Amino acid sequence: MDCEQVPTTKDQLNNLFYPRSIAVVGTNRVRDSVPFDIFYNIMRDGYRGQLYPVSPREPSICDIDAYKYVIDIEDDIDLAVIVFPSTVCHLAMEQCGQKGIKTAIIISAGFREAGPAGAKRERQVKDIADRYGISFIGPNCLGLINTDPACSLNASFARKMPEEGSIALLSQSGALCTAVLDYARAHHIGFSKFVSFGNRADIDEIDLLLYLKDDPRTEVILLYLEEIRDGRALMDAARTLLEEKEKPVLILKSGATEQGASAASLHTGALAGSDEVCDAALRQAGIIRCRTVEDLLNSAVCIVNQPLPHGRCVSIMTNAGGPGVLATDFAVDEGLKIASFSEHTTLSLKKHLPYSSSITNPIDILGDAKAERYTAALKLSQEDENVDGTLVILTPQSMTDIGAIARGVKSISKKFDKPLYATFMGGEDVQAGVDYLESSGIPHFQRLQDMCKTFAVTCRIHERLTRTSSTVPVFSDTNQEKAQAPIDVSIQAGKSFLTEKTATELLYAYGFPVLPLYIAKTETEAVEIAEKICYPVVMKIHSESIQHKFDSGGVILNIGSEEEAKAAYRTIVANMDRAGKTSHVDGLLVSKYIEDGEEVILGLKRDPSFGPVLMFGLGGIFVELLRDVSFRIAPVDTASIEKMIREIRSYPVLEGFRGRPERDIQSIVECIGRLSQLALECPMINELDINPLIVHEKGKGSTVVDVKILLRGTEQC
Amino acid sequence: MDRSTIEKSVKKVISEILRIDEVEITPNANFIFDLGADSMHSIQLVAAFEEEFDIEMNEEEAFSVQTVAAAVDLIQNTLENRS
């Protein structure tokens, strides 16, 4: 939502979903045309309110008297559905305003998506709507459906009204909606609300999410987006839905944003691409990101029809060994655990199953298993306290009574507060059983891997809902004023980055464990400093204009003696002379050389949609090659920081791998917390790399060895 | 041909194609919003104007015309340019 615009009120959104009267503005009698179908669908699918056709040339539509103009209607109108061609939608909107209508849907295409002339039309319509305080969906959309029998509204050109259910779907794409509806109908999946919002010139997904938070008929919201316009607002809205109402938001997000492809000069910028940031931000907000329409609907069905699993321990039950082993592999790949049955379960399974059955997990009840055996084993599985849910597999063999087994699965499902998912493998033979399961609310999956993946998704939702609350760390020993001063000076001087000395001082002001840096103007000074701070030392160029010092031969590490210090000084000066950069060098920086520890990288980048992005990973020169990094959006709480650190593949290195000492992970947690605070308090920092942060043995802290800071409003240094 | 003659003929053509009373066809009437023309009507109207006035209209200009007055303007310009 643009901050300038008047916010959409709850009444307006209520008029959108529960209008007492609707005018379809611009309808006609041409069957199979959008203007006709919209009117016809509202009428056919049993809309409970008053419906008015507005058509400039037709006396009636479907035997209902039509009005030439919307202003001719005497009664009040709650919702206008505008189906005129885009070139005259502004005229229709103007009349809606004159009529006092406050909510509209513009179905018509031919706006922003059609080029500059269309964009101009969209602005014109939006300006009129703003002038009259009208909130509207669209333009360029499929419309809206509300399956609530109290309203029964199909103001869309979808072919059929979906079944009633508790899943809401919000989609930027209209065409995708029709495909989802068709798929859903085939699998007995019902919806509560359904909105295609198209160009979202006014009402957007955030408005709709917040409305659905309080919709008692909606338990889960599915969102299809091609572009995330306000990532932070989306995160906040999704968090609110989950934390206040336990309503998960699942998203199918296509395309990479253009912002993410922007040129970047630091490691963080290069690694924090739009999709990586999007992924991390959605996860942080508890939003489940799905990759296909099927994943989206599978997860939604499990959420609304089954209890959420209280843990990751699954029991797998099958009448064929191969699929059981496959499912085990998929489950483990998805981070699930194969439950170990209790002694009681093991003994009971032994008693109820044939001798050659496998009574360990996965349970193989053999190919000749009939409904009785399935039901008995399933009951034992669900009863076991070590089992968080059961995955049932069936292969159709000549003696398999598929229908009876499906009924048995349903009856067991009802008896336990644990999820039960099924895969009846095959096609024609199992179809009746599959239909029975789906219409009974038992999640059924065509593929074993989808069943395991979806179980893992529902685990994540439960983990999120039950996680212990954690607070964002606040450091009171920071000095924002001192940190901001060099930023202001540099920006005023037109600089795009801070020198290493200034950047180090900035980090010091924020309590980071930095090394003192001393400037030497002569060889003698360099040696004096080195002896004062004790060898080994590092020497590097101090420059207002050279940022990548290594590339210019401007850094020498591990200088161990006076002779080496003199030689290092001369080498750097010669390198600068050879590169023609002597005039850019303002002296040499001398600091202590630190090598005892693991190198990690901490980074910060501003994302246009999500704001400040924090990065953590194993550091050093191969960071971009290995891409072993994790991201969070600032501010970040302590538990999330700890999770962020554990997420990287190389985490065991920090725990002490193959005899190496355990590192001071707590000091990394503190540094990321400080970076999060810095990101929020110094918004002119565009990108920041601390690479490396050397993490010492547990209890001995860490040390910032190098830092680069780019300022905002600069593309490249 | 003067403007009032053109306007009269234009109204007659519109009335025939859209089958509406000439009284409803005011100069400011929008072909789509007020008179209910659709894309097929637009094609028929342009063809009928060309025949009525024995002119060839620029397609892009003709199809972007929104109101009756704008149609009269375009026909008048086309006639003047021809002569």
Side-chain angles (χ1 to χ4, degrees), chain A residues 139-151:
Chain A
N140 183 31
C141 67
L142 185 85
L144 170 148
I145 294 173
N146 178 6
T147 61
D148 185 345
C151 182

Side-chain angles (χ1 to χ4, degrees), chain A residues 43-64:
Chain A
M43 197 183 71
R44 181 198 61 193
D45 287 325
Y47 168 57
R48 300 278 181 161
Q50 198 65 41
L51 182 60
Y52 299 91
V54 176
S55 178
R57 54 182 281 115
E58 306 292 358
S60 67
I61 308 286
C62 299
D63 294 330
I64 300 176

